Amino acid sequence: MSLLRKKRIFYLLLSFAAVLALFALRIAWIQVASAFKAVTVSGKTINELAVRQREESIELDPGRGHILDRNGKVLTGEIGWTPILFPIRQLPAADQLTGLAAALGTTIPELQKKWEQLERPYVWPKPGGEPGEPLRLNEETARTLPRLEGLEVLPYMTRYGPGERGNQWLGFVTQRPDVIRKLREEKHQPDFALTLQVGASGLEKTLDNLLRGIGGVRAAYTVDGRKDPLAGMGTRVNAESSRYYPLQIQTTVDDTLQQKIEGLAKEMNVTDGAVVVLDAKTADIVSMVSLPFYDPHHVNPSADNWSNKAVKSSVPGSIFKTVIAAAALEEKVTVPGEVFHCSGHYGKYGLSCWKEGGHGDLTLEEGFAHSCNVVFATLGERLSAEAIARTAAKLGLGRSVSWHDPSFLGGDSLRPLDQEEAGAVFSNLAAADGGVRAQTAIGQRDVLVSPLQAANLVVTLLHGGQVMAPRLVSEIRYKDGSLLSALPVQASPSSAGQITPQTAQRLLSMMRLVVTDGTGRTVQQANWPLAGKSGTAEVVKNQKQLNHQWFIGYGPIHQPKYAVAVLVQNRPEGSKHLAAEMFRRTMDILAAEG
């Protein structure tokens, strides 16, 4: 072999040795320095990620932020001592399971069968409880359970309480791999697991980026290369720790009142509609009940019960006469003391009054109190379509009115209330001839109003014509209680301006007349003196004529505390006006709470 060839081999071997040396140095650096350095946005190190490859675990707490009611009651997150079974190779003897089986509410054979089949940790369910509801043990019972391998009693969190509720504004979380992929791409957060639950509706959705947190609490056990549990290793709890996260979202809702009004709906067998209670001073949402109820643990996307009916638009019927009365006064198409005549028929467009034989001679105030269709169809024809639409906008209709910040904390737009619909007055303003305006004036045709807008209309009148922006969230705080952001009370002005305080006051007086002398006389039985406006809208569903029943109003009349809107949907024609009764009984609940 030539000397030149030997040199080439030597240099090649030397190059291989240098590469191996660099590789060894890199491994040593990773072990000594980089292994303990955070490599993900949530602070996980390479060592932690490597250990997790040798573990199977169960999530005890997702680390998601919590939503509270106005009094600090937590609405999303109930922690309790819960028995959790982990897979093991050898089950305890039957005589060791006697006390455990009794505490779990099962038999020894059933317990053994379940345990033998486990491939992953299993949260023991509450016997006879709702699907997915875990068994909760008090501390004394938890301490008396036998110490067995594969059994742990751990603080386990459920996001929502059991059963169905009418608080669709709260929303629900679910697994959304499409959302996670988008977050990975846009936010550069590659450590977000595709199984991470994110908000799918309600506050859970609109505030998802604030609620997401930085990591949760997991109970893990060690497995071998075939994912079989290693005996004697036990379990360990891994938790992310932060002074500031997860965040706490404080709402304006009083959950005690919310549950009482939900209970009232059940008692009255109202299964379709909504009830909205607003604070008369601030327009804060005190309660918002949507019917039918939903179960946030079991949501069927094809059903509509998870949708918030309180912010969905519906045909308003005669409550829209409030807008027409305001427009008539503002546009001066009627004069004080003008007398209208109702014979029971309008004489054109196929319109008639609901009262057979008519109301005879009556003033604007009397026409409003008795909800006379003839009076308001007459006013509708006198008004231009532009004037009707403009007045509706001044009163917060035909547009979104809930609290909104176009650049929250200097970032993206924020509107906490999910699913809000703007509603409508005319589908085609230019084509609104006399017939369209007459039908619009009695709240039919193309008019759509949500219960939230209807309640806020009453607040607007109580504020002399100033439209307020209903809040659902008042504060966002860090985990330690310090304030991140306060969401101040807002107005929601229209570019068209607002109605005059004189018009607002006159409408409030007319609403009182509805209760004392008109269609709302049954409301006089309430514990507070009240004022309001009833409404019945004709709708067709599945080729069947039905009615939407409304009642909106405020109370007590001398020092108004609350504005309430009640919508009861899809009632048979001629049936009892449940909305008026539900309004009265809701106000009685509010009066009892002071």
Side-chain angles (χ1 to χ4, degrees), residues 102-120:
L104 299 183
T106 188
T107 64
I108 293 176
E110 286 294 325
L111 175 58
Q112 289 176 320
K113 181 180 178 181
K114 187 65 184 178
W115 212 340
E116 286 174 346
Q117 296 174 346
L118 289 185
E119 296 181 356
R120 58 183 60 86

Side-chain angles (χ1 to χ4, degrees), residues 243-244 246 248 475-484:
R243 172 185 172 184
Y244 299 107
Q248 314 293 315
E475 292 181 344
I476 301 173
R477 292 186 175 272
Y478 290 109
K479 178 182 177 181
D480 65 0
S482 57
L483 183 67
L484 169 61

Side-chain angles (χ1 to χ4, degrees), residues 233-270:
M233 299 296 289
T235 60
R236 68 188 187 96
V237 175
N238 305 314
E240 304 291 346
S241 179
S242 169
R243 172 185 172 184
Y244 299 107
Y245 296 95
L247 299 176
Q248 314 293 315
I249 310 294
Q250 183 156 18
T251 69
T252 59
V253 172
D254 186 322
D255 193 55
T256 299
L257 289 174
Q258 175 82 17
Q259 292 195 50
K260 287 184 177 181
I261 297 171
E262 289 175 11
L264 174 62
K266 286 183 181 178
E267 182 183 336
M268 294 181 61
N269 198 31
V270 176

Side-chain angles (χ1 to χ4, degrees), residues 518-542:
T519 56
R521 282 190 292 270
T522 59
V523 175
Q524 289 188 85
Q525 303 168 19
N527 295 331
W528 272 343
L530 305 173
K533 180 72 185 82
S534 62
T536 302
E538 297 176 356
V539 295
V540 178
K541 184 177 182 180
N542 299 327

